[in-house]
Amino acid sequence: MASPHDLPEEPGGPPTTLLGKAASAGIRRFGREFRTTPAGLHDIRANLSIANMDFEEYAAAAHEDPEKVFRSF
């Protein structure tokens, strides 16, 4: 697993790790946590708070990134 020092510098600081509950089989496929950039944090918080998207959708997007970091849609 890469440390924050191994990842390229993002505007606003290093990636942040988000934790979630493994409520479904889909989230277990990618894990219970993923990393995001500071800019991605606002998008995640806003969409989760209004139930527009689920945690596993963000975890899947992070999983698809070569560095396993959610950046934005």
Side-chain angles (χ1 to χ4, degrees):
M1 176 176 239
S3 75
H5 305 290
D6 297 332
L7 298 172
E9 192 65 32
E10 294 286 334
T16 301
T17 301
L18 296 180
L19 304 175
K21 296 182 181 183
S24 69
I27 194 168
R28 289 188 190 119
R29 193 167 107 206
F30 302 115
R32 296 180 349 147
E33 64 184 45
F34 64 90
R35 296 170 56 85
T36 186
T37 61
L41 193 58
H42 174 73
D43 181 48
I44 295 165
R45 183 188 175 286
N47 283 299
L48 291 178
S49 69
I50 62 172
N52 186 40
M53 295 183 74
D54 293 325
F55 185 88
E56 50 272 308
E57 292 176 277
Y58 286 104
H63 181 75
E64 292 172 4
D65 183 75
E67 294 175 343
K68 308 296 185 219
V69 176
F70 173 76
R71 299 181 193 288
S72 186
F73 287 114

